[in-house]
Amino acid sequence: MSFVYERPRTAEDLGKLLASHGQRACVLAGGTDLLVALRAGHARPEVVADVKAIEELRELRHEADGRLFIGAAVTINRIVDDARLRAMHGGLTGGAGAIATFAIRNRATVVGNVSNASPCADTVPALALLGAEVELRSATGSRRIGLRDYIVGVKQTARRADEFAAGIHVPAQGKGTRTWFCKRQRVRGHDLALANAALIHDPEHKKLRVAVGSCSPRPVVVELDDMFDKPDAEEAAKRAMASIAPISDVRASAEYRTDMTGMLVRRLFDALRG
Amino acid sequence: MTVPFHSDKHRYVGGNAERIDALDKVTGAAQYVHDMAVPRMLFGRMKLSPHAHARIVRIDTSKAEALPGVRAVLVGSELDTRLGLYMIDKFILARDVVRYQGEAVAAVAAESEDIARRACELIEIDYEPLPAIFDPEVALADGALLVHPDLHTYRYMKGVFFPRAHSNVAHHQKIRKGDVDKGFAEAYRVFEHKFTNPPVAHAPLETHVTIAQYLPGSRAQIWTSAQSPFTVRNLFAVAFGLPHNSIRVQIPYVGGGFGGKAGIHLEPLAWCLSRKAGGRPVKITATREEEINTLPSRQGLKTHIKTGVTRDGKITGLKVQFLWDAGAYADYGVNIGRAAATSGAGPYEVPNCWIDSLVVYTNKVFGTAYRGFGHLEVLWGVERNLDLIARDLGIDPYELRMRNVLRAGALTITGEKVTANHGRPDLCLEKVAQEIGFENRPKEPVDPKKLPLRGKVRGKGVALLQKAPAMPVFTACSAIIKFNEDASVNVLISGVDYGQGTYTMLRQVVAQELSVPLDKVQVVFDCDTATQPYDWQTVASRFTVMGGNACIEAAHDCIAQLKHVAGQVLRAPENELICEDERVFVRHTPEQSLSYREIVLGYTYPNGNSIGGPIVGRGRYIAQGLTHLHPETGQGKAALDWTYGAHGVEIEVDLETGDIEIVHIASAFDVGKVLHEGMCRTQVQGGVIQGLGSALLEGFVFNDKGRMLNPSFVDYKLLTAKDLPRKMSAFFVETPQLDGPYGARGIGEHPMVSVPGAIGNALRDALGIDFHDLPLNSERVYLALKRARTAKA
Amino acid sequence: MEYDVRITVNGERYQARVPASLTLLRMLREVLHLTGTKEGCSIGECGACSVILDGKLVNACMVLAVECDGSVVRTVEGEGAMDKLSDLQQAFVDNHALQCGFCTPGMLMAARELLERKPDPTDDDIIEAMAGQICRCTGYETAIEAVRRVARKGQAGGGK
């Protein structure tokens, strides 16, 4: 396991590095997934490019109009600790706060959580509901891609080898929008979700949606706008359970995952009712 | 000078002094083998089998050998030494056949961890996969494939263990008492129930690690994270045919063991690598995944219990089959099958008893000792069984237990007569039932069909437990107390304190007996077979009794020597002297005295003449009264001391998720005498939480090819600080053990035993559903409830 | 590739040349011989390697040493002074909050970081902070209680 460690200062330099090394390079942000993969031999990069010295990627930016930018080097705990964000997007900070342990959250990043493309990523359900877009950059340009299109499968994203995820853009939400997050795990201590879910309630646009994680290769969003005026938890739970395609594995059976998805939706509706 | 003469009082024993190892451990100064490096040390690493059962067709190590920095590569065909505690059944590296996924097949020693890792990747092995067997019940069937076709040729401890040739049975333990058919004939009803436990991991925070060096003349220097220095040495000597004194085993601080480090594991491999690498020391550190998947675990168990009872709930007959899932090698497993069978009825009087305890080979990671030595597993079935019977008979489970519990005069299932000094399981049960308000729970049975879909319900359960050390009849221990210049002492003993707090307790015992302040007593942490006196093994909660007694005798030996010298100086007969507060007094005229300091290295008269010499006390203890068990009936005296206990638990179950929250768990143990308040209490806390892990969460999961699916902390979850009971309480009953130090008994393992039974019984109380299989994880509870809701009446 | 890493550990400055793949944990233990910090799983699950890196609690197994060039690290060896235990260490001793001791350095670091961040922690704060530290021996309660005691004392004395 021998590789070159690069610590570019600018996004341009990072773009150039990836342009020349492509698939032989790994981007390092928090490292909490990459170091596990390095140890297991699942990742064998020739170059590891650390994004943490790039000033603009360390930005967590609240725009005046309510838009949000989460740079690739922003740690999970930075968004958990952001009071404004907590008030605005409880589903996102709630999901973030449910990841692993406090020490891990001090290193792990939001962009990393998303880009690892694990079905059980706890920030993904809320980000999916918020209409988040991932900004992909390369030496030749940049593009934005919706989160649900970014994650193309288990551990697979739409990122090209010469690109890096510079950050996540969250659009401004309708007035009074709120989100919640709920997670099912085997212990109360740190664990990967066997099912997780978020709920968005946007009174301005009469939007009511649930996103479910851990139960499909890609995040599932269930539209419930039709019941905005008369939220029906049981019906919502049913629809969510019908929308997922869970597997049985060491963490849970498909049946339990399905039923727990229903449970999570019911609890999210409890939260909605306050 | 006033002399209090308080030597008859327990000044230190029963106190709550700080741990002897605390300072080293809070400062990071404590050195574990994990932390050690020795000059010219190489790093060893194992290549593991991906198959549960396969023939090794070809191994090509040439690429690994060619890698710069590789100093030795070993494969099984170079090592024809078989190892084993009781059944000599395991090669150091698999030869010809691999018997479980995760088994070591080849090994490398290299200049760095990274090179060793890379070299292992470069070893090419071709396997021919063979059919494999994962269920002990299947393995028991006629014509089942054999995990060890050559079992009939293996060497084993004869007269104690009974392997069955040309089968997968590594040991068959029989217990036969009375006439079980007669017992069933007399019964008002006969019940049959089955229970299971999965194999689980010990998960000490320090994984197995060893540094071994081949020394000229076929000698061995070994540093290892192990529980039993003399057992490592003995098995090593036997395996390689070496004189015992050519092997030196040293054990510094150990980061947890729980039985998993009781035997011998990585030491022989590291030494063989060192031998091949020209005598350079080799360190092998198990990764966490190897700790779980390659090193041994707790065995799985299938229990089938048939119970005959009278109308008022007295047990008339008990017939039990225990099927132990030994995995690929027997290790401690055969002795667990033996020892746990002697507890197979629990702490109850059973007039007619028939137990077959079969330890069965399968193609899974092998089992070994784990805190409780089979008792958590066995008592899961025993304690659930009683609640099932109680319900069907309409008798309160508490009452049913009280009607059958062992009391003075009763005969155990191995024919041991219970006396007034055995300890009082009934008092333990009474205490915990009272603490959780067992009497006040709603008595009408819950119908799961009528439970709401959401919300929480509560339930209460109790369970009893018992355990005695499982050990050979000749189990012995010795202690040496050496005086230093300032009349402080070093205590040399070879039971290892890997966290239990034994040395903290022994310091009290020695201080008490020598009448010196606690800080004058150092129990030496580095165990060294070259310098420390013999001890069998640090297992079985045996060290309080055996180590305590050895230390008391060693202290008395010191006192006799002190008096012998002082008597000459003070011109008094030795029986007229009293040792108190670091001085030797003449009883009649206490103003005549000598300080220990004046005597311990020899007394010098004013004119320069000197007498005496350095005082070294020697103590020893050998288990008293044990007998071999009769091969056909299991009758005999298997136990030195029984520690009885009970748990009472109140739980809250989330009906929508199946989550169990522990509202209160109360635990009581008859420890004979609390020697150290804090050590007893912390053993209970830690043990109960470990028991909760077994109850709620832990267990290996394998796929249909026998590959372990949860070999790391990602999916082998342990309870965390967030998962604690809302309330835990510990109580101690003190019925003195006649031959225990100050009346004490062991308490190390017992706290985790029967925790699952208590939870399972509380779950029945809460949901009206009976659970037979561990763990009681949320999914299992939820799905059982879901099925029960929709089941036809 | 190998890199020069300048790092301050417990107030002492070190410089070492390390391969890019070396974790901070292995650098502390194998290069600087600060073996108080333990390795329990190497994948960020057990917390035995918890240290305070530039003021933040991290699992040293999840950080590359090269990432720490110019950083300040605190480990158990820097907790308390020679022959003078810190309040936390003393509370762990007084409360028998350790058994085998292998998780203790990580526990102390997690607790120390908490008390600096929140001198007046609630019980939930303490549990959240300690929940990443796996202990197989103690069952946690004694350690939680030790942190509670120090927090209470700090409160009485006006905090740090």
Side-chain angles (χ1 to χ4, degrees):
Chain A
M1 191 170 57
S2 174
F3 53 79
V4 173
Y5 172 80
E6 296 280 2
R7 195 176 171 88
R9 294 269 163 191
T10 66
E12 290 67 39
D13 289 348
L14 177 55
K16 279 181 207 157
L17 269 172
L18 295 178
S20 55
H21 296 286
Q23 276 170 346
R24 296 186 305 274
C26 280
V27 173
L28 167 67
T32 53
D33 287 314
L34 180 61
L35 265 65
V36 173
L38 289 172
R39 172 179 178 270
H42 297 151
R44 295 172 185 269
E46 291 172 14
V47 174
V48 167
D50 189 346
V51 303
K52 290 193 286 296
I54 302 171
E55 199 58 45
E56 62 175 305
L57 302 192
R58 282 152 58 173
E59 273 190 294
L60 172 59
R61 200 165 63 232
H62 289 275
E63 305 287 2
D65 61 3
R67 283 178 302 137
L68 178 72
F69 174 74
I70 304 168
V74 172
T75 64
I76 300 286
N77 271 346
R78 262 183 78 195
I79 70 162
V80 174
D81 291 341
D82 190 303
R84 199 163 146 198
L85 202 50
R86 269 208 311 273
M88 219 165 88
H89 299 314
L92 175 58
T93 54
I99 294 172
T101 64
F102 177 76
I104 291 293
R105 296 194 294 271
N106 272 337
R107 296 295 289 182
T109 62
V110 181
V111 172
N113 188 237
V114 169
S115 298
N116 190 44
S118 161
C120 62
D122 289 324
T123 59
V124 166
L127 286 170
L129 292 176
L130 292 167
E133 291 180 333
V134 178
E135 180 183 335
L136 292 167
R137 283 204 225 163
S138 68
T140 53
S142 81
R143 58 176 176 140
R144 282 199 196 184
I145 179 168
L147 180 77
R148 293 166 68 191
D149 297 320
Y150 178 61
I151 298 169
V152 297
V154 177
K155 300 265 175 186
Q156 288 176 316
T157 67
R159 183 181 73 87
R160 296 192 314 265
D162 66 327
E163 287 179 315
F164 62 93
I168 291 171
H169 295 270
V170 179
Q173 305 295 315
K175 200 163 181 296
T177 296
R178 294 179 69 191
T179 56
W180 294 265
F181 174 82
C182 220
K183 175 176 177 178
R184 185 92 272 266
Q185 55 206 72
R186 292 164 293 188
V187 284
R188 274 179 273 160
H190 52 287
D191 191 10
L192 300 170
L194 56 92
N196 60 15
L199 172 72
I200 190 165
H201 182 261
D202 173 355
E204 187 183 330
H205 304 100
K206 293 208 164 195
K207 193 163 89 178
L208 184 67
R209 280 164 203 185
V210 160
V212 181
S214 268
C215 290
S216 299
R218 301 168 63 200
V220 168
V221 172
V222 186
E223 303 217 358
L224 303 165
D225 297 357
D226 58 300
M227 62 167 76
F228 184 87
D229 292 319
K230 221 176 152 201
D232 180 344
E234 281 309 320
E235 173 61 20
K238 253 184 230 160
R239 284 198 221 164
M241 290 159 75
S243 310
I244 54 175
I247 58 163
S248 291
D249 67 8
V250 65
R251 275 162 224 153
S253 67
E255 180 182 0
Y256 191 58
R257 281 197 160 98
T258 304
D259 288 6
M260 289 305 102
T261 297
M263 180 278 296
L264 291 173
V265 172
R266 286 192 294 271
R267 292 200 177 172
L268 288 167
F269 272 68
D270 286 347
L272 171 67
R273 278 194 299 272
Chain B
M1 182 189 294
T2 59
V3 181
F5 286 162
H6 44 51
S7 61
D8 55 336
K9 295 197 193 84
H10 293 164
R11 260 202 296 170
Y12 299 116
V13 163
N16 195 22
E18 76 178 45
R19 292 183 65 104
I20 198 167
D21 49 348
L23 198 57
D24 281 356
K25 288 178 176 175
V26 297
T27 54
Q31 285 275 306
Y32 301 77
V33 179
H34 252 242
D35 305 329
M36 288 177 61
V38 296
R40 301 189 72 230
M41 187 174 87
L42 298 170
F43 296 86
R45 202 167 165 84
M46 298 175 282
K47 172 94 173 174
L48 309 178
S49 167
H51 300 289
H53 196 199
R55 196 169 306 289
I56 301 166
V57 178
R58 180 187 73 101
I59 302 186
D60 184 347
T61 59
S62 55
K63 285 182 190 145
E65 281 159 22
L67 189 71
V70 171
R71 302 298 173 211
V73 181
L74 268 180
V75 298
S77 56
E78 297 171 72
L79 305 169
D80 62 359
T81 306
R82 275 191 210 264
L83 284 166
L85 270 162
Y86 302 112
M87 176 70 63
I88 316 300
D89 62 1
K90 187 176 188 301
F91 286 115
I92 295 170
L93 291 169
R95 279 166 67 107
D96 307 326
V97 171
V98 291
R99 293 187 173 84
Y100 69 96
Q101 177 263 322
E103 182 168 11
V105 182
V108 170
E111 296 287 348
S112 76
E113 291 248 21
D114 292 340
I115 296 170
R117 181 190 299 253
R118 179 78 192 118
C120 279
E121 290 171 359
L122 292 173
I123 296 173
E124 294 171 8
I125 306 178
D126 293 338
Y127 295 96
E128 177 197 332
L130 299 169
I133 203 157
F134 306 119
D135 180 338
E137 221 164 332
V138 176
L140 202 58
D142 285 342
L145 74 87
L146 298 180
V147 179
H148 290 272
D150 299 329
L151 177 60
H152 59 288
T153 67
Y154 292 176
R155 286 182 298 132
Y156 64 96
M157 191 186 273
K158 293 200 169 63
V160 180
F161 299 107
F162 305 96
R164 206 183 275 166
H166 311 294
S167 83
N168 288 309
V169 177
H171 174 52
H172 181 183
Q173 179 68 47
K174 298 173 187 172
I175 307 281
R176 307 285 186 259
K177 180 192 174 192
D179 179 346
V180 77
D181 292 328
K182 182 171 143 274
F184 290 146
E186 287 166 7
Y188 161 65
R189 281 186 64 183
V190 177
F191 297 89
E192 274 192 76
H193 294 294
K194 290 183 175 184
F195 305 93
T196 69
N197 305 63
V200 308
H202 303 77
L205 259 281
E206 184 191 34
T207 59
H208 280 72
V209 53
T210 193
I211 302 171
Q213 184 168 17
Y214 178 91
L215 296 172
S218 221
R219 290 174 301 138
Q221 167 66 49
I222 296 165
W223 293 271
T224 188
S225 180
Q227 294 175 212
S228 313
F230 283 89
T231 288
V232 171
R233 190 182 75 167
N234 186 44
L235 293 175
F236 199 97
V238 170
F240 293 106
L242 301 175
H244 285 71
N245 63 5
S246 69
I247 303 156
R248 183 174 188 179
V249 178
Q250 288 177 263
I251 299 181
Y253 282 114
V254 176
F258 314 111
K261 296 174 182 169
I264 187 167
H265 295 294
L266 299 174
E267 298 86 353
L269 178 59
W271 187 72
C272 291
L273 282 169
S274 171
R275 182 171 62 187
K276 197 162 184 194
R280 290 180 65 178
V282 174
K283 181 176 188 176
I284 304 179
T285 308
T287 63
R288 177 57 59 188
E289 291 82 350
E290 289 164 349
E291 180 68 28
I292 297 176
N293 202 163
T294 297
L295 287 149
S297 61
R298 185 170 80 197
Q299 302 182 111
L301 175 65
K302 285 187 163 187
T303 301
H304 183 172
I305 308 185
K306 191 173 167 188
T307 319
V309 286
T310 63
R311 191 168 204 134
D312 57 1
K314 280 290 280 181
I315 298 169
T316 58
L318 189 71
K319 190 167 188 180
V320 189
Q321 186 191 56
F322 294 120
L323 283 188
W324 298 91
D325 187 351
Y329 300 101
D331 202 80
Y332 273 96
V334 286
N335 201 22
I336 292 164
R338 172 183 172 273
T342 67
S343 266
Y348 303 101
E349 184 170 20
V350 175
N352 303 293
C353 185
W354 173 296
I355 294 176
D356 289 309
S357 182
L358 296 147
V359 183
V360 186
Y361 287 122
T362 61
N363 291 112
K364 291 198 280 209
V365 60
F366 61 109
T368 191
Y370 182 165
R371 193 178 196 175
F373 212 65
H375 284 61
L376 181 141
E377 301 92 296
V378 160
L379 283 155
W380 159 242
V382 167
E383 288 298 312
R384 282 266 47 235
N385 183 50
L386 284 180
D387 263 44
L388 284 155
I389 293 170
R391 186 189 67 241
D392 282 357
L393 292 178
I395 299 174
D396 188 273
Y398 175 89
E399 192 49 40
L400 185 79
R401 285 179 172 79
M402 283 302 190
R403 286 178 196 174
N404 290 288
V405 73
L406 286 176
R407 296 175 194 273
L411 280 186
T412 69
I413 58 170
T414 61
E416 182 182 345
K417 188 160 188 180
V418 176
T419 73
N421 295 95
H422 258 70
R424 296 286 300 272
D426 56 327
L427 295 183
C428 296
L429 179 60
E430 193 181 305
K431 183 65 192 166
V432 300
Q434 190 187 331
E435 281 300 313
I436 62 160
F438 192 65
E439 183 57 34
N440 307 327
R441 74 195 193 287
K443 297 294 184 338
E444 59 280 10
V446 174
D447 179 355
K449 286 190 186 0
K450 293 184 182 150
L451 288 170
L453 290 170
R454 302 184 70 180
K456 292 178 177 179
V457 292
R458 289 197 175 189
K460 291 176 183 175
V462 293
L464 274 168
L465 65 101
Q466 65 169 6
K467 187 184 177 297
M471 53 199 191
V473 289
F474 50 77
T475 301
C477 173
S478 50
I480 290 171
I481 299 177
K482 299 192 302 176
F483 270 96
N484 302 313
E485 292 85 336
D486 60 352
S488 66
V489 298
N490 285 7
V491 180
L492 305 182
I493 196 151
S494 297
V496 176
D497 186 338
Y498 41 96
Q500 322 90 303
T502 323
Y503 289 5
T504 302
M505 177 274 289
L506 291 178
R507 174 170 60 175
Q508 290 179 316
V509 168
V510 172
Q512 177 74 38
E513 295 300 323
L514 291 178
S515 195
V516 300
L518 288 173
D519 60 12
K520 281 284 178 73
V521 181
Q522 190 59 45
V523 185
V524 176
F525 252 89
D526 282 34
C527 277
D528 184 341
T529 55
T531 56
Q532 262 147 317
Y534 174 82
D535 180 60
W536 174 63
Q537 298 182 354
T538 322
V539 294
S541 314
R542 62 178 271 280
F543 216 59
T544 294
V545 172
M546 302 197 72
N549 282 340
C551 281
I552 288 172
E553 189 176 291
H556 289 177
D557 189 18
C558 290
I559 294 286
Q561 294 175 49
L562 285 165
K563 287 181 178 175
H564 181 69
V565 178
Q568 296 174 60
V569 179
L570 297 170
R571 295 181 196 162
E574 288 161 37
N575 59 358
E576 287 300 323
L577 297 177
I578 283 185
C579 290
E580 189 80 56
D581 290 337
E582 304 180 84
R583 296 190 80 81
V584 187
F585 298 91
V586 179
R587 198 205 310 254
H588 178 66
T589 44
E591 57 277 14
Q592 280 186 280
S593 72
L594 284 172
S595 72
Y596 285 7
R597 193 193 284 253
E598 292 172 274
I599 316 171
V600 290
L601 299 186
Y603 179 79
T604 302
Y605 287 97
N607 76 347
N609 289 166
S610 298
I611 61 166
I615 288 177
V616 178
R618 186 197 64 163
R620 57 191 187 170
Y621 182 78
I622 188 157
Q624 292 300 290
L626 301 188
T627 68
H628 295 296
L629 300 184
H630 188 283
E632 289 304 318
T633 66
Q635 299 296 298
K637 187 158 186 300
L640 179 62
D641 61 311
W642 291 98
T643 302
Y644 298 109
H647 299 285
V649 62
E650 179 172 15
I651 63 170
E652 190 168 83
V653 187
D654 187 322
L655 296 170
E656 205 181 8
T657 61
D659 289 355
I660 297 172
E661 181 161 10
I662 313 299
V663 178
H664 181 192
I665 181 160
S667 312
F669 305 91
D670 192 341
V671 296
K673 163 82 184 167
V674 174
L675 294 183
H676 187 296
E677 170 77 21
M679 294 306 99
C680 280
R681 226 161 260 291
T682 52
Q683 278 305 295
V684 174
Q685 283 180 356
V688 165
I689 297 299
Q690 217 172 96
L692 279 176
S694 286
L696 301 178
L697 199 59
E698 295 182 44
F700 294 150
V701 182
F702 298 90
N703 71 7
D704 59 358
K705 300 272 192 293
R707 167 171 284 276
M708 193 189 290
L709 299 177
N710 52 348
S712 83
F713 286 158
V714 175
D715 286 311
Y716 194 92
K717 301 310 293 183
L718 302 176
L719 297 179
T720 73
K722 288 184 182 172
D723 299 282
L724 300 185
R726 281 187 224 159
K727 184 180 174 193
M728 291 172 74
S729 41
F731 304 92
F732 300 105
V733 175
E734 295 186 315
T735 309
Q737 175 78 16
L738 286 180
D739 51 352
Y742 314 97
R745 298 184 192 90
I747 182 65
E749 300 163 287
H750 308 79
M752 75 181 289
V753 177
S754 277
V755 172
I759 308 267
N761 293 340
L763 208 44
R764 160 74 216 187
D765 191 45
L767 300 180
I769 301 172
D770 284 302
F771 289 83
H772 300 256
D773 307 302
L774 289 180
L776 302 166
N777 59 35
S778 303
E779 171 164 356
R780 190 188 297 279
V781 171
Y782 170 84
L783 290 178
L785 183 56
K786 184 178 172 184
R787 307 276 182 265
R789 285 185 201 279
T790 54
K792 291 195 186 86
Chain C
M1 282 285 287
E2 299 209 330
Y3 298 85
D4 283 319
V5 173
R6 280 163 295 268
I7 192 168
T8 302
V9 184
N10 303 326
E12 296 193 356
R13 284 153 69 173
Y14 297 89
Q15 181 170 350
R17 195 158 178 81
V18 302
S21 60
L22 195 77
T23 61
L24 172 61
L25 174 60
R26 288 184 58 190
M27 175 166 177
L28 290 170
R29 289 175 53 80
E30 295 167 24
V31 181
L32 307 183
H33 305 294
L34 290 163
T35 55
T37 305
K38 304 301 183 201
E39 175 182 342
C41 72
S42 293
I43 55 169
E45 287 280 343
C46 78
C49 64
S50 294
V51 299
I52 301 173
L53 170 65
D54 295 326
K56 293 194 183 300
L57 190 77
V58 301
N59 294 152
C61 71
M62 288 286 98
V63 179
L64 294 174
V66 286
E67 295 179 78
C68 303
D69 190 27
S71 288
V72 174
V73 177
R74 286 157 61 197
T75 70
V76 68
E77 287 95 342
E79 176 74 16
M82 182 61 89
D83 297 326
K84 172 92 179 90
L85 295 182
S86 75
D87 49 0
L88 259 176
Q89 289 171 319
Q90 192 61 51
F92 269 61
V93 172
D94 293 343
N95 212 41
H96 308 308
L98 57 89
Q99 289 184 27
C100 84
F102 207 74
C103 74
T104 309
M107 284 230 183
L108 287 166
M109 289 298 101
R112 170 58 62 208
E113 190 276 343
L114 169 73
L115 292 174
E116 288 178 358
R117 184 164 41 91
K118 287 188 180 169
D120 185 11
T122 64
D123 250 29
D124 282 349
D125 291 334
I126 296 173
I127 288 167
E128 180 67 41
M130 303 302 277
Q133 310 303 125
I134 295 290
C135 172
R136 191 56 153 171
C137 300
T138 65
Y140 306 105
E141 190 52 46
T142 48
I144 292 168
E145 177 59 23
V147 180
R148 229 180 250 145
R149 285 188 192 180
V150 175
R152 246 184 259 139
K153 254 190 227 156
Q155 218 180 321
K160 279 199 142 184

